[in-house]
Amino acid sequence: MSTHTKTGLAFACLAVAGCDRAPSFDILGSYFPGWLVCLAAALLLTVLVRFLLLRLKVELPAPIVVYPSLLACLTFAQWLLFLR
């Protein structure tokens, strides 16, 4: 085998190495991807944090940046904790 064939074969193996069954949840007979479930839970947590900050009268410098960032962080944290 030539080096180009070996290199192509190595890249093909690396490309399909991550092809595994995606984590999904059965909710009322429909399968939803795990990231969607984490996103929905993170959205609820972000709303709770917002109400907590409003109740404590904490003013955020740029809420249009803070809340989406908080949503992303909570989504990724749940993904890592529960679905590794």
Side-chain angles (χ1 to χ4, degrees):
M1 277 203 302
S2 69
T3 50
H4 292 297
T5 307
K6 289 179 184 178
T7 305
L9 184 61
F11 280 124
C13 289
L14 288 174
V16 297
C19 295
D20 195 11
R21 184 173 164 85
S24 57
F25 296 97
D26 181 18
I27 300 174
L28 297 175
S30 296
Y31 287 97
F32 290 93
W35 64 266
L36 192 60
V37 174
C38 291
L39 180 66
L43 183 62
L44 292 174
L45 288 172
T46 303
V47 169
L48 285 172
V49 168
R50 182 178 186 277
F51 284 127
L52 179 68
L53 291 175
L54 286 175
R55 181 163 258 221
L56 295 174
K57 296 182 179 161
V58 175
E59 300 227 3
L60 298 174
I64 197 152
V65 175
V66 172
Y67 290 123
S69 300
L70 179 62
L71 177 69
C73 287
L74 290 172
T75 302
F76 300 146
Q78 288 179 33
W79 178 268
L80 288 174
L81 285 174
F82 302 121
L83 301 174
R84 289 188 211 215

